[in-house]
Amino acid sequence: MKFTHLLFDMDNTLYPASSDMDKGITRRMLECVADFFHTDLEGASALRAERIVHYSTTLEWLRAEGMNDIEGFLAHVHPDNEADELLPQPRLREFLLSLNMPMSILSNAPHEHADRVLAKLGVADLFEAVTDIRDADFNGKPYPGSYLAALKKVGADIETTLFLDDMQKYTDGWVALGGTAILIGDKNGKPLTEDAQSMIEARKANTSGKVGKTFRMDSIYELTRWLGSPQGVSKP
């Protein structure tokens, strides 16, 4: 198999899951959950942990419960100063350049969040395109439309695109479509339940009959070694 494009998730993939940004995003999401259900943060955390296995995102879950202010939710979770929580990643730019392959971003966050993060990391110019939650009509990964929107932006296809993400439910969605994925890190969340609408649609969208596959890495920096291994990609 010859892969010709790399499709990266951004948060907790381009930078470590231990980052303060991850903590900040989670805290602000829980604030939205607490406000919507009129509970405290502890109650919001327990409720989210129970329900999120049925939904692609916290946003999808809250919308299913009747929340209508999508833009208000996104603005609260991703404030203008959020990039202050992100530490520099001095190795990242040189590493991405060394891969010498076309790359793009697929994020379940809004485009303004991606812009801030990629600018702070100093790598915005290295990616051909960013596909965000609005591009996917607010049905993000693992809904098939999210992946297909990202592929369409760069003229790529699932067979020759390698997808990297830190969440198992999102690599599961890509694999359900027949693609090859790299699952990053060890804080990968729980897989979605069988009744999750996103995964039902992902399985239905695979009309090729091809079976996808997931590989695991501690960080994206292992990708260079993987590229040179027998199961790795061949550069065009």
Side-chain angles (χ1 to χ4, degrees):
M1 175 60 63
K2 182 177 288 187
F3 286 78
T4 59
H5 192 84
L6 299 174
L7 179 60
F8 285 91
D9 169 53
M10 187 178 65
D11 293 310
N12 300 337
T13 298
L14 293 185
Y15 60 85
S18 58
S19 166
D20 285 343
M21 172 164 278
D22 180 61
K23 297 173 186 176
I25 290 172
T26 300
R27 184 187 70 252
R28 291 186 291 271
M29 280 188 181
L30 290 176
E31 289 171 352
C32 291
V33 172
D35 182 66
F36 184 80
F37 288 105
H38 306 290
T39 186
D40 57 18
L41 288 180
E42 184 177 350
S45 180
L47 190 58
R48 181 174 179 265
E50 175 188 345
R51 298 301 299 158
I52 198 62
V53 292
H54 302 280
Y55 296 96
S56 61
T57 60
T58 301
L59 176 59
E60 184 191 16
W61 166 44
L62 292 179
R63 290 178 69 195
E65 296 285 354
M67 188 197 77
N68 296 314
D69 188 9
I70 297 174
E71 293 298 336
F73 172 87
L74 294 177
H76 183 82
V77 174
H78 300 291
D80 291 345
N81 65 342
E82 63 177 341
D84 294 344
E85 301 167 338
L86 184 59
L87 293 175
Q89 302 297 316
R91 298 172 54 198
L92 182 61
R93 183 177 180 85
E94 183 179 359
F95 164 72
L96 292 175
L97 284 169
S98 74
L99 297 176
N100 194 30
M101 291 182 70
M103 300 177 290
S104 58
I105 295 287
L106 174 58
S107 174
N108 277 354
H111 209 294
E112 55 270 25
H113 170 69
D115 289 345
R116 294 173 192 134
V117 170
L118 295 176
K120 180 68 178 285
L121 295 175
V123 296
D125 60 309
L126 303 185
F127 295 96
E128 292 186 353
V130 173
T131 302
D132 77 338
I133 193 70
R134 296 190 189 94
D135 292 322
D137 295 325
F138 301 106
N139 289 321
K141 302 170 289 185
Y143 277 97
S146 177
Y147 305 112
L148 297 177
L151 293 172
K152 184 178 180 180
K153 275 196 175 187
V154 295
D157 60 63
I158 193 163
E159 185 175 355
T160 58
T161 298
L162 180 67
F163 175 59
L164 300 94
D165 202 295
D166 67 295
M167 295 296 290
Q168 182 181 340
K169 60 184 177 181
Y170 301 149
T171 56
D172 283 350
W174 182 263
V175 169
L177 291 174
T180 301
I182 303 289
L183 183 58
I184 301 295
D186 59 4
K187 295 179 175 64
N188 305 126
K190 295 180 179 180
L192 292 180
T193 56
E194 288 294 319
D195 67 345
Q197 186 62 34
S198 55
M199 287 302 297
I200 291 173
E201 292 189 17
R203 289 189 290 268
K204 287 182 178 178
N206 184 355
T207 58
S208 69
K210 294 180 180 178
V211 179
K213 191 167 185 178
T214 302
F215 296 89
R216 286 182 173 269
M217 293 181 185
D218 289 336
S219 79
I220 58 172
Y221 295 101
E222 294 180 27
L223 184 57
T224 302
R225 180 162 53 87
W226 190 84
L227 292 174
S229 67
Q231 74 269 24
V233 299
S234 298
K235 295 181 182 179

